[in-house]
C-alpha cells in the first residue's frame, strides 16, 4: 500500500492496516507454533517455547547453638518436575558446597551455615546456586534472612524468605 492510499483511507475514517481475510494469506496469528522437541540435553521449554526454570523451596530452618557457634540447617526441596543439583549455598557471607542431586519433589537437609553466632543482623542475603541436571543450565534463588535476637545479644536464623523477583537464570 502506498502513502497516498493510506492517506486516503485515513481521510475516509477507514483502518489503514487491515488484516487480510482471504484463507490463503499467511498471517502470523493464524500460524501454529511448531512442535517443541524435548531434547534431553537442552533446557526444557513449555508449549509456548518459554524456558522452564526449576523451582526450589527452603523449609524447616533451624539454628542449633553450641556455645558461641551456631549451625543453621534447613530442608531444601526440589519443587520442579526435573532433576536438579544443589551446587552451593551462600548465607551470612559464608559459602557451603552442597553438591547434592535432588529428583523431582525430593527433599534433603543441608547445612546452610556453620560458624560464630552473628552479633548483628546486617547480613540479610542468602543465595542457593543450583543447576538443571539434564541441560547443565545454572540458576540462583535469592532469599532474605529473618533473624531472632537471643538473650546474650547474638542472633540466630529464624527462616529464609524467597525474594519476590524469583529465580535468576545465570
Amino acid at each position: 500500500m502506498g502513502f497516498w492510499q493510506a492517506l486516503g483511507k485515513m481521510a475516509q475514517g477507514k483502518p489503514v492496516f487491515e488484516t487480510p481475510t482471504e484463507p490463503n494469506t499467511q498471517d502470523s496469528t493464524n500460524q501454529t507454533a511448531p512442535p517443541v522437541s524435548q531434547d534431553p540435553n537442552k533446557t526444557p521449554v513449555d508449549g509456548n517455547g518459554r524456558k522452564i526454570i526449576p523451582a526450589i523451596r527452603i523449609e524447616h530452618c533451624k539454628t542449633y547453638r553450641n556455645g558461641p557457634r551456631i549451625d543453621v540447617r534447613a530442608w531444601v526441596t526440589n519443587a520442579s518436575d526435573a532433576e536438579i543439583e544443589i551446587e552451593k549455598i551462600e548465607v551470612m557471607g559464608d559459602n557451603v558446597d552442597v553438591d547434592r542431586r535432588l529428583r523431582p519433589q525430593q527433599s534433603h537437609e543441608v547445612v546452610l551455615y556453620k560458624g560464630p553466632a552473628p552479633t548483628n543482623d546486617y547480613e540479610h542475603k542468602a543465595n542457593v546456586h543450583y543447576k538443571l541436571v539434564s541441560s547443565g543450565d545454572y540458576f540462583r534463588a535469592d532469599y532474605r534472612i529473618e533473624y531472632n535476637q537471643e538473650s546474650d545479644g547474638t542472633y540466630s536464623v529464624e527462616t529464609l524468605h524467597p525474594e519476590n523477583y524469583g529465580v535468576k537464570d545465570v
Side-chain angles (χ1 to χ4, degrees), residues 125-140:
K125 291 187 182 233
N127 301 316
V128 179
H129 298 265
Y130 60 101
K131 73 176 180 180
L132 190 59
V133 172
S134 63
S135 67
D137 281 351
Y138 285 87
F139 302 94
R140 186 186 80 212

Side-chain angles (χ1 to χ4, degrees), residues 69-72 87-98 111-118 123-129 145 147 157 160:
R69 301 181 61 78
I70 61 170
D71 289 356
V72 180
E87 295 281 322
K88 71 177 180 176
I89 299 175
E90 300 172 338
V91 175
M92 295 188 287
D94 191 31
N95 292 330
V96 176
D97 290 326
V98 179
V111 175
L112 300 177
Y113 175 80
K114 204 176 225 187
E123 187 67 47
H124 286 281
K125 291 187 182 233
N127 301 316
V128 179
H129 298 265
I145 303 170
Y147 293 97
V157 176
L160 276 71

Side-chain angles (χ1 to χ4, degrees), residues 104-124:
Q105 308 309 316
Q106 184 181 15
S107 296
H108 183 72
E109 186 179 30
V110 296
V111 175
L112 300 177
Y113 175 80
K114 204 176 225 187
T119 56
N120 60 54
D121 62 347
Y122 299 153
E123 187 67 47
H124 286 281

Side-chain angles (χ1 to χ4, degrees), residues 36-76:
V36 178
S37 63
Q38 287 295 335
D39 183 355
N41 295 324
K42 290 187 139 189
T43 301
V45 294
D46 63 11
N48 295 326
R50 291 184 299 241
K51 188 179 206 176
I52 295 175
I53 298 178
I56 62 169
R57 288 190 313 264
I58 296 182
E59 303 169 308
H60 310 294
C61 188
K62 297 278 185 191
T63 299
Y64 300 95
R65 295 192 58 100
N66 186 9
R69 301 181 61 78
I70 61 170
D71 289 356
V72 180
R73 297 173 180 266
W75 285 86
V76 178

Side-chain angles (χ1 to χ4, degrees), residues 1-44:
M1 173 184 307
F3 172 74
W4 294 111
Q5 289 174 328
L7 189 59
K9 284 188 174 191
M10 285 176 37
Q12 295 172 1
K14 294 181 181 177
V16 176
F17 300 104
E18 294 180 355
T19 305
T21 57
E22 299 171 2
N24 293 337
T25 306
Q26 290 292 331
D27 183 22
S28 62
T29 58
N30 293 335
Q31 294 178 358
T32 58
V36 178
S37 63
Q38 287 295 335
D39 183 355
N41 295 324
K42 290 187 139 189
T43 301

